[in-house]
Every structure is written in structure tokens, then in C-alpha cells.
Amino acid sequence: MKKLNVALFGVLLLIFACQRPTSENKIDLSTPWKFHSGDDPSWSTAAFDDSRWELINPTEIWEKQGYKNLDGFAWYRIRVIIPHSLIDNAFIKDSIQFKLGKIDDYDQVFLNGELIGENGKTLPVKTDPRPDFFKGASQWDTERRYVLGVGDSRVHWDQENVIAVRAYDQGGAGGMFSKPFEISMVDLSDHIKFDFTESGFKFTGDTLISKQFAVYNISAKEEFHGKLLIHANRCDNGSQLFKQETVLNMPPGIRTVFTVNVIKDLSVPATIYFTYRESASGKEVRDQIEMPYILTPKPGKAPRINGASVFGVRPWSPFLFKIAATGEPPLTYGAEGLPNGLRIRAVDGLITGMMSKKGDYTVKIKVANALGTAERDLIIKCGDIISLTPPLGWNSWNVWGLSVSDKKVRQAGDAFAASGLINHGWTYINIDDGWEDTHDRNGNILPNSKFPNMKEMCDYIHSLGLKVGIYSSPGPKTCGGYEGSYSFEEKDAQHYADWGIDYLKYDWCSYGGIAPNPTDRELKFPYKEMRRYLRKVKRDIHYSLCQYGMGDVWKWGNEVDGNSWRTTGDIEDSWESLSGIGFTQDKCSPYSAPGRWNDPDMLVVGWVGWGPRLHYTRLTPNEQYTHISLWSLLAAPLLIGCDLTQLDEFTLNLLTNDEVIAIDQDPVGKQARQAWKDQDCQIWIRDLADGSKAIGLFNLKDTPLPVNVKLDDLGFKGKWMMRDVWTQKDLGMVMTHFEMNVLPHGTRLLVLRK
Ligand code: GLA
């Protein structure tokens, strides 16, 4: 079998050894390239003989092609004839472009021995390669497109050209990947662009959704005359909801903003299609955007208790638990059987005080309004373990990055209250990196000028019934270059407690300089160290380990007494990032338990941007449903990473579905496992406390997918009542099988009850 593969590759090589244009006037570069690890300047030259190099597929990272532990430098080379006919057949005869997918993490690209670009930026003739091109933020998610004028001396028309790519991988996945890989003339679609990121969707009343978008011409000298055609179709039956045609002339550099208004049932998925048709050539540029659709029913007027049903506290730690409840105000809160030392505030359901005796206590909590009373048991476990359900909250990083400030943190707290998120169990307001100044002469950590008074700020957040988180590193510096806790652990822990901190994210970062090739013991050491001091303070502080999954942290996070541990690198708001993280968490499944959570990183819905400039998430609505559904099945800490002052109706719908949140908060704390997987579809199942099963059907394709589920294949016997969790509707009994349509990159989240 292996031999056969090799032989086939050889044939491919003969056919594609020198690429030629296809009928679409493009040269395909997604065919095998030559590849060698290491680094040598002569590998950039046309004359270099690479005949002994290995072949590699450029659309997949090198780890997937036999180079498992390769970090650092490697080179890719390909030979191509670039015929003048590309220009002759082109509509715009100005520039030629080299599209090289993406490169993890950094690159320099040479054409016939001369540098043409670096990390996605085209460079002029005779630019010297920068020696430190592989420093700074990773460029793994940047598209590599290099554009040269047709007269550029680096292109050899009608002759063989050698493209040589010097790649540098700083760790993890490495090398060229993604698509497209091609050479073509810069065309209409490279000049005319649609931009949907400047605003979110706006909802007016029950049926009107508006979306602002821009069409722009990035060309510095080409002018286009044509028409803009827009139509919107429902995704379920294809029927047209909207159609419009506008004459649109596009001088060089122009950017025009439009608003499209579509009337539709808010719960119906639909897509808006955009076409710019150039009049003279008939050429078209197309784009499309999925419209948000709201599945979460609005909370009823009768009282309803939401959020966690079990809460852990240590003896002698300040107790703070807010009963989350919805219903028409005013609501009155009560609790029967509160253990000694605790009291409840009737106006907002805030339970405070302090417990001295270990044990499990069942408290009957009650919420009443003019329409009736809701009751539920809350189990308070006074003992050693806290965070008995995954933390629900907000963290500043994915939105504000290092530009976080006291004001932004208070605004997030206010928004939790104003938007009603607090009524669904959302609790933590966490400051990430960017708050620190230095340690003073006595070793006291000082916040920087953006945080004038930490204690006052924490008091304010607590007064809202919320909790506060903070961030540090076991190294001397944080990932953002701020002061870490190295050698100040004990004092820092005490400061956090004195300020009123309830959550610490402890991020490895520069500890890599202290333990460059960490052994298992070295990986654990700094986390044990800080834990010792956190245990000493008279305050419950959720301990969140952040070291990106090194040394399979999920296997020993429990041993170092972490409450949660990041299992991956940093998430971004793209399908590649989301699916790459979410669908590879099965390995962590056996290790989650109450107080011990696998953390696949924070949420990327709403207005994100790593600050200070923000953009609306690049995930489609379907992808966002997948995000929240999968993270809930994974029993993940849910930390919203968006600007809460700009919460739109769709994002709020994603974050306030109490049945979805109840899956995340299920008291048994068992993470879902991957029950089925093929290229197009995955099924994940989570066992819930009451014996029912939460099931996620995920469509990995970018077209709709009918999924046929046989209960036998999942090991389910007998009759089950099936409920659609997002719409909160029963779907009837199932005994043998069921079939469902799942939207592109979308999810169906179900609960099967005996
Ligand atoms: C690392 C973490 C992020 C964030 C930044 C802050 O990258 O993984 O979540 O905390 O550091 O600098």
C-alpha cells in the first residue's frame, strides 16, 4: 500500500513538475512542492538543485505529513513557467499575484532568488531579507498574497521561475496550509471587495433585520462601471425574501456604505447574496453572508430559577452566591434551610455570609412575583473544592487585549446587570493581562494607572452580585510583557485576596525562560507554588491554569489543585480556529469533574478584537451556535470575550438560553465524548445528572447535511423523548432512529430523556 502511494506521487510529479495555466487563466500551485527542513540562504536561488528534496502537499501543515516534532526553519520550493498569455487573456493587465494560502507562523518568499514578500506583505525590488522576520505576533492566520507589477524584473515571463519559501514555525502546527495556492493576474475580484465587519445586524421589532456593509475598490487607478445586485433567500425552502439592483460606478479607492433591510421571521435562517457585475466585461464579484436567526425563546413572565444547582465554598471564606432568576419584576427571593452564618437579601437573591462547618446542605430557594412562585434545591457543599460547576463570566482579553481599564471592567459588570445576563447565572468579571505595573521595594504588586484603586473596583463589582478575576504569570513577565509573579507569589496571592479577587488566571508565558524544556516536574512546579499561597488566604479563588495544554495538563491539573486548565493555544474568531480546538477535545473528556474543568479557551462571539479596535466576530451564526453548543457539551468555563456595551439581540440569544447553560452547568460535571466522527459530521454525547443524554450533531461541511442517527449505533436502548434544546421544544418519541438537517458548520443540540 505504501509503495503504491509513492508510485502515484511520482506520476503526479511528472505531470506537475512545471505548472502551466488552467483554462481559468490561473496557475495551480496546490500541487506537490519540494521541501527540506533547516535553513540555508542558497536555497532561495533559482540555480539550487532541489531534486533530492522530499515532496510535500502545501495545503496541509507539515505535522500532518510526517514531520511531527519539527519546529524552527524549513524551506519549500516549486518551479513554474509563467506565460505571457496570462496578461494577454486578462481583463486588467496590470499586476500578477502569488497566492500562497497561509503559513504557520512566519515566512519570506523569494522569486528567482529575490525577496518578494514577508509575512503576507509584498516588498519592493532589492529589499534585503529582515533577519528577525520571525519575531513578534504569530502570523499563522494571515493570508499570503504577494502582488507584483507586470513589469517587475523579478518575474521571468515565458520562462521557468523558482518560488522558494522560507518558513519559520515557533511551535505547534507549522508550515504552509489552507488555500488558495495559485498564480493569476489581479482581477476584478481582487479590486472590488465587500466588507461586512463594520457593523453587526440590527433588529427592529419582530421581523426587520438590517445590515450595513461596504463595497470598495482597492485599486489605485482602475475605475469600474456596473451594478450591485442583492438578494436574500431562506435556507430551509430557498424562497426569496428580498431583491434589489443598483447602478454602482466605482472610481479608484472609493468605499461606499449601504444598508440592506430584510423582513423575515427572526427564527428562520437565511443568506444574503451580493454580486457586483462589471458592465463592459460582464465579470462578477460575489460574496454572501448568513443572517442571524434567533432560536432562544424569550423568558416567560412567571418566575423561573436558572443557573447552577450546586455551589462549593470553603469554611471561613466569604460566601457570595446570587440566585439567577427570570420573570416579570419585581421578584422576591427567599431561601429555606440556609446553613448557619448565611443570609439572603430578598430584593435580589444575594446570599452572603460565612460558613464554619464542612458538610452538604440542601437549601430550598424560592423566587416569587405576582404570577406565582418558583422553587428549586440548591446544594451548598462546604469543603475543600470550589467551582463545582464551570465558571460563567466575562474576560477582557478577546475584546480589549492590553487596553483593558478600570472603566471597561466596571462597564462589563454594569452590562451583566443591565442586559440581564446575571439572571442566567453569568457571574465572573475577569481582568486579563494589562493591569500590572511593578512590584515596589517591599514586594507589593502595584496596578498601573489604568486601575487607580483595585479594592474599590472589586467592591463595586461585588455590589452588583458579581465576582472579579485577575491575571498573572509564574514567570517574571506576562505574555503581554507586564510584570509577572515570579518570586513574589505569596505576596501577590495575599494582595489578590485583600482586593477581593475571586479568580486567578495564571499564564505560563515567560516561565518558558526559566524552564526552557520543561520536564513534568518543572511544568507542575510553578502551579503548585502559587496554589500553596492561594490555599492560605481566607478567600475562595478559582485557580485557572493557562499553559496551552503542555504535558497533557488535563491529566495532572487535578494533582496541582487547579480548578480549570487551558487545553489549547489561543482561540481566534475563525472556523479554522474554533473547529481545530473544539473538535479535538475528546482526549480530555475523562478528566473533567466538579471543580476540575478542561478549558478550551474563551468565547469569540459578539464584538471582539483583542483591543482597542474591535470588529464583529467573523464566525457565521451557524458557527456561533456550534461554539456555544460544543463548549456547553465540553463542560467548559464559558467566558464571554466581547464588548458587552454593544451586545446585539443575536449574541444575547446565544448567551441566555437556560437549557443550553444547564447542560454546561450539569452538576455531575462529565464532559461529552466524541461518539461518531467522519469527514463531514461529528456526534458528541454528554451524560447528564438525571440520566438523560445531551447530544450535539455537528456539520463540518460548508453545505447543509442530512444526519441520520441510529440509536443502536450510539448504544441507546428503548424509548426516548427528544427535545430541541435551542428552541426548547419537544420533538416527540424516538425508538430506533431519527434524521435531521444540519446547516453548514452548524449544530443541532438535543436532549434525550428516558
Ligand atoms: C496568552 C493567553 C491569553 C491571554 C494573553 C495575555 O496568550 O493564552 O489567553 O491571557 O496571554 O497576554
Side-chain angles (χ1 to χ4, degrees):
M1 190 64 189
K2 210 164 185 186
K3 275 228 168 86
L4 184 68
N5 277 338
V6 173
L8 274 176
F9 224 40
V11 175
L12 279 178
L13 173 69
L14 286 181
I15 299 171
F16 296 116
C18 224
Q19 294 310 117
R20 289 172 184 282
T22 62
S23 53
E24 289 167 90
N25 217 26
K26 284 179 182 159
I27 303 174
D28 181 18
L29 297 180
S30 66
T31 55
W33 288 51
K34 291 301 190 85
F35 179 75
H36 205 280
S37 62
D39 191 31
D40 187 324
S42 72
W43 296 349
S44 70
T45 60
F48 176 74
D49 176 11
D50 57 24
S51 58
R52 297 232 181 117
W53 283 19
E54 302 274 326
L55 288 171
I56 196 162
N57 167 4
T59 66
E60 291 273 21
I61 51 163
W62 63 49
E63 274 80 3
K64 286 199 182 160
Q65 303 184 68
Y67 301 93
K68 214 148 186 220
N69 294 318
L70 180 60
D71 294 332
F73 286 103
W75 284 72
Y76 294 79
R77 289 170 56 96
I78 196 165
R79 291 167 194 277
V80 284
I81 289 173
I82 306 182
H84 199 273
S85 61
L86 277 187
I87 306 181
D88 304 337
N89 300 334
F91 164 55
I92 307 166
K93 300 183 188 296
D94 214 52
S95 317
I96 181 172
Q97 57 187 345
F98 298 76
K99 293 186 178 171
L100 304 179
K102 294 182 178 178
I103 300 179
D104 196 340
D105 296 285
Y106 312 90
D107 68 293
Q108 287 177 323
V109 177
F110 300 83
L111 184 62
N112 303 313
E114 286 192 65
L115 187 67
I116 61 166
E118 219 172 63
N119 299 331
K121 216 177 137 220
T122 306
L123 296 172
V125 185
K126 300 263 177 259
T127 307
D128 288 333
R130 256 193 322 139
D132 59 350
F133 75 101
F134 54 92
K135 301 265 164 67
S138 167
Q139 299 294 317
W140 74 274
D141 203 23
T142 306
E143 274 165 22
R144 299 323 203 261
R145 172 173 172 257
Y146 298 105
V147 181
L148 305 182
V150 290
D152 194 300
S153 59
R154 291 168 290 186
V155 189
H156 298 172
W157 294 98
D158 283 329
Q159 293 169 41
E160 185 179 271
N161 290 257
V162 175
I163 307 172
V165 177
R166 182 186 187 204
Y168 182 86
D169 171 30
Q170 69 181 0
M176 308 212 288
F177 71 104
S178 188
K179 277 183 181 159
F181 274 85
E182 65 192 28
I183 302 176
S184 60
M185 293 296 288
V186 172
D187 199 4
L188 185 69
S189 58
D190 300 300
H191 286 312
I192 301 291
K193 300 278 177 199
F194 294 96
D195 179 4
F196 306 115
T197 60
E198 267 189 17
S199 80
F201 282 88
K202 209 174 126 225
F203 295 76
T204 315
D206 286 342
T207 52
L208 180 66
I209 304 189
S210 323
K211 172 74 184 158
Q212 242 188 30
F213 68 98
V215 196
Y216 57 106
N217 176 7
I218 58 172
S219 169
K221 56 177 196 210
E222 301 285 343
E223 169 153 358
F224 304 104
H225 297 267
K227 268 190 185 157
L228 175 66
L229 313 152
I230 307 173
H231 70 275
N233 288 3
R234 287 173 66 130
C235 298
D236 48 358
N237 59 17
S239 67
Q240 196 162 76
L241 297 165
F242 176 87
K243 194 176 171 197
Q244 189 184 303
E245 266 191 44
T246 319
V247 172
L248 185 59
N249 296 333
M250 307 278 293
I254 195 165
R255 178 183 177 91
T256 318
V257 177
F258 294 89
T259 302
V260 39
N261 294 310
V262 179
I263 293 179
K264 79 163 177 86
D265 176 339
L266 291 192
S267 67
V268 167
T271 306
I272 315 179
Y273 300 88
F274 302 83
T275 307
Y276 183 71
R277 186 177 299 145
E278 201 275 334
S279 305
S281 63
K283 272 185 173 276
E284 291 184 345
V285 180
R286 292 181 192 187
D287 214 331
Q288 63 186 64
I289 182 165
E290 275 180 27
M291 295 186 74
Y293 53 102
I294 307 258
L295 298 180
T296 304
K298 286 248 179 308
K301 291 184 171 171
R304 184 194 142 111
I305 302 176
N306 305 311
S309 57
V310 53
F311 182 71
V313 66
R314 294 188 303 156
W316 305 113
S317 288
F319 191 101
L320 185 71
F321 180 87
K322 157 117 178 67
I323 298 174
T326 48
E328 193 163 71
L331 297 174
T332 353
Y333 299 75
E336 271 170 29
L338 271 184
N340 279 344
L342 300 188
R343 57 194 171 272
I344 180 165
R345 215 156 62 181
V347 285
D348 60 3
L350 200 63
I351 307 177
T352 53
M354 196 172 280
M355 293 172 69
S356 56
K357 256 202 166 153
K358 285 192 175 179
D360 292 359
Y361 304 83
T362 303
V363 179
K364 176 122 348 259
I365 51 179
K366 294 187 178 183
V367 180
N369 67 6
L371 294 162
T373 303
E375 284 189 8
R376 201 166 92 175
D377 283 350
L378 170 69
I379 303 185
I380 298 176
K381 287 177 177 266
C382 183
D384 293 324
I385 312 252
I386 58 163
S387 302
L388 298 180
T389 60
L392 298 176
W394 174 88
N395 171 294
S396 57
W397 184 250
N398 289 354
V399 49
W400 300 122
L402 295 170
S403 71
V404 63
S405 65
D406 172 291
K407 184 170 167 214
K408 286 171 176 155
V409 172
R410 286 177 196 246
Q411 275 177 343
D414 291 341
F416 259 34
S419 65
L421 281 167
I422 194 170
N423 303 328
H424 301 271
W426 296 92
T427 303
Y428 288 94
I429 300 291
N430 293 354
I431 314 162
D432 206 280
D433 203 356
W435 65 269
E436 318 85 334
D437 190 6
T438 51
H439 289 94
D440 69 12
R441 262 194 287 155
N442 301 319
N444 301 312
I445 180 70
L446 305 175
N448 58 39
S449 58
K450 293 184 293 162
F451 290 86
N453 191 325
M454 273 291 186
K455 170 101 178 60
E456 261 180 41
M457 191 198 75
C458 292
D459 288 348
Y460 178 74
I461 302 292
H462 289 144
S463 75
L464 300 170
L466 301 169
K467 301 190 177 187
V468 194
I470 209 160
Y471 165 99
S472 189
S473 169
K477 291 274 173 242
T478 65
C479 294
Y482 284 75
E483 181 94 340
S485 291
Y486 183 64
S487 79
F488 294 103
E489 292 82 358
E490 182 165 14
K491 281 215 144 192
D492 283 5
Q494 191 56 53
H495 272 286
Y496 303 154
D498 294 346
W499 290 336
I501 295 294
D502 308 288
Y503 188 116
L504 171 66
K505 172 173 171 183
Y506 207 44
D507 192 351
W508 178 267
C509 302
S510 69
Y511 199 84
I514 289 159
N517 295 304
T519 58
D520 276 359
R521 216 185 67 81
E522 285 171 320
L523 281 173
K524 293 173 192 171
F525 176 78
Y527 286 99
K528 284 189 174 162
E529 186 69 359
M530 181 51 112
R531 187 37 140 176
R532 273 207 297 150
Y533 303 118
L534 290 176
R535 278 271 170 201
K536 274 198 196 165
V537 300
K538 291 225 163 355
R539 189 166 188 92
D540 290 351
I541 299 184
H542 175 103
Y543 190 32
S544 153
L545 279 42
C546 176
Q547 45 83 291
Y548 340 113
M550 286 186 296
D552 293 354
V553 63
W554 46 92
K555 296 184 180 156
W556 52 264
N558 182 6
E559 180 196 326
V560 302
D561 199 11
N563 296 115
S564 58
W565 39 82
R566 276 272 297 276
T567 57
T568 73
D570 289 14
I571 196 167
E572 299 195 9
D573 57 322
S574 69
W575 175 246
E576 260 167 2
S577 170
L578 174 76
S579 57
I581 290 177
F583 293 121
T584 53
Q585 298 299 304
D586 194 40
K587 54 185 187 275
C588 310
S589 172
Y591 304 97
S592 81
R596 313 289 183 200
W597 307 109
N598 297 311
D599 174 4
D601 206 4
M602 302 176 285
L603 304 180
V604 274
V605 300
W607 285 90
V608 295
W610 294 266
R613 275 200 59 196
L614 306 183
H615 62 264
Y616 194 70
T617 180
R618 291 177 293 160
L619 297 178
T620 66
N622 289 333
E623 290 165 356
Q624 295 181 63
Y625 276 113
T626 292
H627 190 14
I628 307 298
S629 305
L630 184 53
W631 263 235
S632 298
L633 287 164
L634 296 176
L638 300 180
L639 293 172
I640 304 167
C642 70
D643 179 3
L644 293 172
T645 65
Q646 296 191 63
L647 259 187
D648 58 287
E649 181 115 0
F650 174 69
T651 312
L652 201 59
N653 138 85
L654 288 170
L655 302 173
T656 53
N657 191 309
D658 297 305
E659 295 196 17
V660 178
I661 295 174
I663 294 178
D664 181 70
Q665 296 287 299
D666 186 77
V668 171
K670 266 191 161 183
Q671 177 184 315
R673 58 192 195 280
Q674 191 182 55
W676 166 264
K677 171 189 172 181
D678 67 19
Q679 259 199 326
D680 300 337
C681 170
Q682 295 205 3
I683 302 179
W684 289 66
I685 302 179
R686 178 165 177 190
D687 296 331
L688 301 176
D690 64 358
S692 49
K693 315 274 183 188
I695 304 185
L697 312 181
F698 297 97
N699 175 2
L700 276 60
K701 294 193 338 168
D702 42 23
T703 50
L705 181 73
V707 178
N708 197 331
V709 180
K710 294 200 184 87
L711 294 194
D712 248 5
D713 289 350
L714 303 181
F716 295 176
K717 303 269 174 274
K719 271 197 200 162
W720 298 81
M721 174 56 88
M722 183 155 74
R723 188 166 171 84
D724 185 303
V725 183
W726 278 105
T727 58
Q728 302 182 357
K729 286 198 177 119
D730 286 333
L731 300 177
M733 295 297 264
V734 278
M735 289 179 66
T736 52
H737 70 280
F738 60 89
E739 185 169 319
M740 270 182 188
N741 204 36
V742 190
L743 291 169
H745 293 181
T747 303
R748 294 298 296 265
L749 185 62
L750 308 163
V751 166
L752 261 61
R753 225 162 243 130
K754 267 278 175 204

